[in-house]
Structure formats: C-alpha cells, structure tokens
Amino acid sequence: MSTKKFATLIVTLLFTTTTVLAGCTDSNTAAPAAPAKPADQTAAPQAGGKISDKPITVTGWTDFIPATGSNGVTSYADQIVWKEMTKKTNITVKWETTAAPGADDFKQQLGLIMASGKIPDLLGHIDPLLADQYGRQGALQPLEDLIKQHAPNLQKILDTTPAVKGQITSPDGHIYFFPRLLLDPRTQAFAGYMIRGDWLEKVGMKAPDTTEELYQVLKAFKEKDPNGNGKADEIPFTDNPNPIIGAFGVGSRGPNSTDDFFIEDSKIKYGPTDPRYKDALQYLNKLYAEGLLDPEYEKMKADVREGRILQEVSGFIYGSNAGYLTKFNKMLEGANKKPGFIAVAAPKGPTGERNIFGKHNEIDPGRGVSIASTTKNAVELTKMMDYFYSKEGAMLLYFGLEGDTYTIKDGNPVYTDKVTTDPKLDILGYLNTYVGYVSGWPSSQIAEHYLATLSDEGKKGNALAVQHAGKKKVPALHFTQEELNEVQTLQRDINTYVDENMNAFIRGKKPFTEYDAFQQGLKKIGSDKLGELYSKAYGRYTASIK
C-alpha cells in the first residue's frame, strides 16, 4: 500500500506565546494542585560512570542567537549545560545553528537539511507536526523501543501520565521526538486577567468576580474618570476580548488559544455552534455598544496596546502574567502609579463556571528533540536525552551549577546574585545565554524556575490561573493525512466565516435576529463535518490513553 495512504500528521491544538508559569497563594487564593516532580531515577546504566566508555562526538542542528548584551557565548557548546553534559556523558555535541529565524523560515531550512540526506544526529526545536512528518518519511528514528530500554526517567513519565504518551505517539504507533513536558499545573496555566487596582480604589469598587460585576466595573471606569485627567477618554477593556467567551462555558479562538473546540462531558464540542456562544456574543456586544470594549480590539498591534496602558486609558486586560502583568506594572511604577495592575480571577459566567482556554497541555508544542534515523549512536543519544528528565538533569538545565548560579535555601533552589542582578540581562536572558536554553530541551519543567522570573503580583496571577483554568482544553490530536487535508480546508473557510460574523455581531453591524442564519451558514459550509472529524480524532486519543 502507498505511503500516502498511511501518512499521518499531528495537529497540535496548543498556543505558542510566552512559556511562562508560576504559582503562589495568598489569603484569597486556593493552593494549586500538588506539582509533578521530575523523576528521581538516575540516567540509564552507564559504562565507567558515563553513558559512553569512550569519547563520542555527534552533530546537532537547531536555532541559536546570543542575547544582546552577552559576552563569550557563540554556541550552545559555550554554555554550562552542554559543557557539563560532555563531562557527565562522554558525548560532545558539535552544534550547527541557524540564527533563530521565523517559524516558516526554520521549517524551510529544516526541509533543505532533510532533502540533502546529510541529517545531523540531533535535531532541536522539533514540534509534533514536524516530527511526525519526517518520521513517516524515515528520516527520524522511532524512539518507543529505545525509550523502554534506555530511558527509564521518560518511561516512568509515560507509564504514569497517559496524556503525555497519547499526545506524543503518532497513529502509526511510533514516537519520533523527546518532548519538553509541562506536568506541574503551574507550568501549564500562564495567562490570566488583570485590572488596575488603583482605579478600583478611585471608583470605590472591589475586583469583579462575575461577568456581570465586570460589566459594572468597566462601566464605572468609563464614567468616573479613574485616570483623573478630567476627560472622558477611558477605554476600559483593551485588546482581544475572546477569552471572555470561555466564561460562558464554550471554547473560542483568541490570545493563546488556537481552536474553537472544547471538552465537556467527555465529548469534544464546537464553540460557535453551541447555544451559549450567542450569549457570549451578546455580552460582548453590550460592552462594545457602551464604549467599554476597545474599538481596535481586532488584531491589535503591540504599540497600540502598550500606548493604551502607558497613556492610562485602559484598565482591564487579559494576557501573560510574566509579559503583561509584570511588564505593564514596571511601566506604571516608573510613573509612580501604584498598585497598578492586580491579578484577578477569570470571571464567573452565567453557567457558574470559569475557564481559561489559553493554557498549555502536558507537552510544549514547539520544543522537542529528534534523533536522525542515520545516526550510529541512537542508544547513547537516548540516554543523554533521558538524563534531562531526571531530577539531577532537570536541575542542571533550569538552574545550572549549585554554588555558582543557584544555592539551596529552605529546601528550594534559589538563583544567585550573578543571575538575578546581571546589569544587562534579566533572569531568563542570563539563563538562556550562559546556562542553557531553558525552554529548548527535553525535560519536565521545574515550576520554581519560572516562579523566580515573576513579580509577586505575577505569582498571584498564575496561582489564580491554575485555580480557575478549567478542564476543557483540547489535547493535541492526531489526524490521518486524508482527515487533515479535509480539516484544513474546512477550517480555512469556517474560521473566516466565524470571525466575520462574530465581529459583526459584537460591533452591532449585524443584528442578533440574523443569528439563526449565521448558524445555518455554518452548517452549509461544513461545521458538522468538521465536528465529526474532531470527534473521531478525540476518540482515538481517549482510546490510546486507556
């Protein structure tokens, strides 16, 4: 039978914005679930105390660019992680890198390497889609047997966390990449809602807890001049409002969420055809009609968004706790505006639930490592990758060397001053430049690593996101090639149709008396068929994890 008939691809329904995670509790915040710790096992059995009893040199290819302001680092070989890995394993990786191009350029460069037939032993920055594509073509080494025999740390995770195995295994039964894992709840939920705390004080209101309370607060922001300039210039809610649709219990595309599907009652459902979707659009239409929602919310550019914040015309936004909440507060503090933004829980909607669809699944969608099928050192490289899943390996990757880049305080790792007070680099910049690219390698991310990169308010925001993220996020699903072709064709037309109608309803350009016609149009262009394809793929996923 033809290769085409059995070709499969992974569609990864994950958002790829900032990889930020944190968790913290206060008197008003429930503690997050117990974190999943990196495996306590050691690396696979080693010869002479190392993976190889003789020095081995292998080739590796991925993207790399040193941070502005760094010195003495021109390759991963200059970093602590890879120097230590050579000492511990007797394996040296000779890195060839590209200067961090855009996603399309990276894929094009990878395609040229694959076509050349001279494939490096290790390939970094591999996402599930690429791994499956080149794995099916025979360019990448199937890993499931190697993992069983030589990767005890990763195998333990696959045995105890079925969702991971289900999201990295292709329908042909093979695993083609070592994933970067996000097992701790704090490392999955990273975005949330934030509001100007000083504005709340000025209008004499508490932080909103429901969508109705949010409406009342935004209305007060509009009418009571919280920025104190004597002008009615406030635009209370800025940026993309789509995340609010989650408060009505249904899925919706928006910041950090790429899909309208959601999980409910052990089934996969499609947001725009759910009756609750209309309720959400009517709510957003009310905000827009009363001037509470930013008129430029569609495809808002970063400079416009930041202008709204710096000019103090907006006081409510959804976004990253590391990016938005921490960054914007630093801007406001510079202008002596305190408390600035404070983290608030995802608002409770009419259904009585809170949801944040912009969260990670158990796997990072864009940062795996694959092994070339042509390598002579598949066993040794499997053992090397597995070391990162051990507690010792994860500590090396995320914290570096004890006594140098971190110390242990009250039982927890803490970065040293050389990391936290570098005059040119923030913590992530320092780690990514001098220690190792912390988001780039197979591992199970340590939550304490990210906690150190957040402000106190950012920690509160992430704790709230953990508490209220909900359980409706769709896992990474697998489609056959034929299914994928149909899904992509259907979604191209359907997503355009949904976007046009959604914004028309929100902006009042289309009355809700035409909502039934919108639903009929969805069916006409294939929403039912799209739902069937997703249901079939989700059925395969649930079967695989059982």
Side-chain angles (χ1 to χ4, degrees), residues 92-154:
T92 299
V93 182
K94 184 178 179 181
W95 290 105
E96 296 179 12
T97 58
T98 181
D104 291 340
D105 289 340
F106 182 86
K107 291 176 183 178
Q108 184 177 14
Q109 291 183 31
L110 180 61
L112 292 173
I113 289 175
M114 293 297 187
S116 74
K118 298 179 181 179
I119 307 173
D121 299 289
L122 284 176
L123 292 160
H125 200 162
I126 297 295
D127 61 45
L129 181 69
L130 292 172
D132 195 61
Q133 175 185 345
Y134 292 116
R136 287 187 291 103
Q137 295 174 6
L140 302 181
Q141 177 74 47
L143 300 173
E144 60 280 356
D145 291 337
L146 286 165
I147 291 171
K148 288 179 181 178
Q149 297 173 33
H150 305 292
N153 299 300
L154 178 54

Side-chain angles (χ1 to χ4, degrees), residues 321-495:
N321 290 309
Y324 284 17
L325 187 55
T326 304
K327 176 181 178 181
F328 289 154
N329 270 358
K330 284 184 178 179
M331 293 178 178
L332 293 170
E333 286 174 6
N336 200 31
K337 302 292 183 179
K338 296 182 179 181
F341 281 97
I342 61 172
V344 292
K348 184 188 299 182
T351 63
E353 60 183 291
R354 310 176 197 264
N355 286 296
I356 297 178
F357 286 95
K359 59 172 285 190
H360 285 299
N361 287 316
E362 291 81 2
I363 66 170
D364 185 329
R367 284 289 175 180
V369 170
S370 294
I371 298 176
S373 60
T374 53
T375 186
K376 297 178 181 179
N377 303 109
V379 170
E380 290 85 357
L381 292 177
T382 297
K383 292 178 179 180
M384 175 185 255
M385 293 298 102
D386 189 59
Y387 176 72
F388 282 129
Y389 295 106
S390 71
K391 183 176 181 180
E392 181 181 295
M395 285 298 298
L396 172 63
L397 175 60
Y398 290 103
F399 283 90
L401 295 176
E402 186 173 1
D404 179 24
T405 54
Y406 79 94
T407 59
I408 299 297
K409 183 177 181 180
D410 298 327
N412 294 312
V414 178
Y415 291 114
T416 57
D417 289 345
K418 70 183 298 182
V419 178
T420 60
T421 62
D422 186 271
K424 296 182 179 179
L425 301 173
D426 61 14
I427 291 175
L428 278 177
Y430 187 97
L431 295 174
N432 287 337
T433 300
Y434 298 115
V435 177
Y437 186 50
V438 294
S439 300
W441 308 111
S443 60
S444 179
Q445 189 183 47
I446 299 174
E448 287 78 7
H449 147 71
Y450 191 71
L451 286 172
T453 70
L454 290 176
S455 65
D456 289 341
E457 198 62 38
K459 292 180 177 68
K460 293 177 182 178
N462 188 258
L464 287 169
V466 169
Q467 184 182 357
H468 299 301
K471 297 181 179 180
K472 293 191 171 185
K473 173 77 174 180
V474 176
L477 298 180
H478 301 253
F479 294 87
T480 67
Q481 182 64 60
E482 290 78 6
E483 289 172 343
L484 183 62
N485 290 342
E486 193 168 8
V487 165
Q488 290 176 331
T489 299
L490 286 168
Q491 283 192 320
R492 182 170 55 248
D493 295 335
I494 290 173
N495 287 354

